[in-house]
Amino acid sequence: MALAELDDERLDWSGTLLVARGDEHVGRGAQAMRYQAGSISKHVMSVVVLALVARGTLDLDAPVGRWLPDLPERHRPITLRQLLSQTSGIGHWGQVPGLPPVLEAPPEPATLLTMVRAAPLTAPPGERWRYSSPAFLVVAQVIEAATGDRYADLVAAIVTGPAGMTATTSGRFPVGAPDVAVGRRDGRVLEVHPGFTALPGTGDLWTTTTDLLRYSRALRSGLLLDAGAAAQLWHRSATLDPPDPTDRPAAASAYGFGTFLGQVLGQDAWFVPGDNLGYQSLLAYVPATDTDLVVLSNQESGVDTLLQHLTL
């Protein structure tokens, strides 16, 4: 069976594709080119949390007020389990007063965190699922408070170092380097705000398709987490509304920790999409065929466009 088929005769696309099964690889684009990974960084942050839970540093079911006593009273009972599964009640950017639905020029980190803390909850903690990047800012604060270390340093020690992700960085703004793809919208070059790099779980991670393949395989092999801990990433923590199968090539029916569960190109998979100003990304794994799919694009609809032309 062919690993993947790409109908690129009419494909107008910019980015890098990597499909892998065992030693077999299909790729397109420069695999060494770095892109902003968007919300794939939420998956990485979930791995950092689970590693710290295994060490006894964090507790998934303890109120985050244990580590952040200065949080507003309504936030203190929220648990890391609720934050990672997007059931904390903290809203996305558009639910934070003073922020737009799509964040293109983030305020300074201290100002942004103050705004997130001041925002009302959209629901009581644990009651319903709502996608939230601000929730992962709180997770990063908990990590740093519990360890006394910078989040970016923990990513290097727990994830990128052990996985051999030598081209991946967290918390460093690389735009302008010759191996970094420039973000675009409708063919127009966009000036990416450096403030995104200071937002863990949103825009801190810059990486390559090759490194993300190393990451996915390291995670599944037990190099980063033991099998029981890793399974929590793709355990169905929250059930989502039934997806419209005609809507997108990637359709989610549930959410784990930083991870969607559903179908990619008609096959059962876990996957992590990312969308930020000028970039779109996708990390996916199809267990039935042991197939990894990684797409990084410097077009805001680049992943959606590519998947319309790809068959697994």
Side-chain angles (χ1 to χ4, degrees):
M1 182 176 66
L3 177 57
E5 295 181 2
L6 181 62
D7 176 16
D8 58 0
E9 195 172 306
R10 298 183 306 277
L11 178 60
D12 181 15
W13 181 75
S14 176
T16 308
L17 161 72
L18 181 59
V19 185
R21 184 189 306 138
D23 294 331
E24 190 179 2
H25 294 70
V26 171
R28 172 169 172 160
Q31 303 297 325
M33 188 66 71
R34 291 189 288 158
Y35 298 77
Q36 192 187 80
S39 289
I40 292 174
S41 56
K42 291 179 175 63
H43 197 269
V44 171
M45 186 180 291
S46 300
V47 171
V48 171
V49 168
L50 290 171
L52 293 173
V53 168
R55 297 177 185 180
T57 306
L58 293 176
D59 182 335
L60 287 174
D61 297 307
V64 294
R66 172 191 293 185
W67 300 283
L68 301 175
D70 59 336
L71 282 175
E73 186 174 349
R74 62 185 173 278
H75 285 180
R76 287 179 217 151
I78 295 171
T79 67
L80 282 168
R81 185 180 302 277
Q82 292 164 342
L83 289 164
L84 296 181
S85 63
Q86 303 282 23
T87 59
S88 68
I90 296 175
H92 199 31
W93 305 124
Q95 282 80 48
V96 176
L99 293 180
V102 178
L103 197 63
E104 296 196 352
E108 290 295 317
T111 301
L112 182 59
L113 286 167
T114 298
M115 296 170 74
V116 170
R117 290 183 174 203
L121 296 178
T122 62
E127 183 175 285
R128 69 180 66 151
W129 185 88
R130 181 184 291 273
Y131 191 82
S132 173
S133 288
F136 277 74
L137 296 181
V138 178
V139 176
Q141 283 191 294
V142 170
I143 291 170
E144 293 187 337
T147 63
D149 295 322
R150 292 176 61 248
Y151 173 72
D153 293 337
L154 290 167
V155 171
I158 293 173
V159 179
T160 58
M165 301 167 67
T166 56
T168 300
T169 59
S170 171
R172 297 205 311 245
F173 187 64
V175 170
D179 64 342
V180 174
V182 177
R184 298 176 182 274
R185 175 185 291 162
D186 299 327
R188 174 173 53 91
V189 172
L190 294 176
E191 185 174 338
V192 178
H193 197 288
F196 276 107
T197 309
L199 303 184
T202 294
D204 63 299
L205 203 70
W206 295 78
T207 190
T208 67
T209 50
T210 304
D211 267 9
L212 287 177
L213 175 61
R214 291 190 182 108
Y215 167 70
S216 184
R217 288 181 165 179
L219 185 58
R220 302 196 309 273
S221 70
L223 186 61
L224 304 183
L225 297 171
D226 66 40
Q232 295 185 77
L233 293 164
W234 39 82
H235 172 74
R236 290 175 172 260
S237 298
T239 300
L240 310 186
D241 292 335
D244 180 350
T246 65
D247 185 21
R248 290 179 59 161
S253 58
Y255 197 82
F257 285 174
T259 312
F260 286 96
L261 303 116
Q263 290 199 330
V264 175
L265 297 175
Q267 300 192 48
D268 292 341
W270 63 254
F271 62 97
V272 191
D275 295 270
N276 266 340
L277 180 69
Y279 298 92
Q280 197 174 45
S281 56
L282 178 70
L283 172 65
Y285 177 67
V286 179
T289 57
D290 190 29
T291 300
D292 289 283
L293 169 64
V294 188
V295 187
L296 295 173
S297 177
N298 56 329
Q299 293 173 317
E300 289 184 322
S301 59
V303 172
D304 298 335
T305 299
L306 179 80
L307 293 186
Q308 298 287 350
H309 296 261
L310 184 67
T311 303
L312 294 181

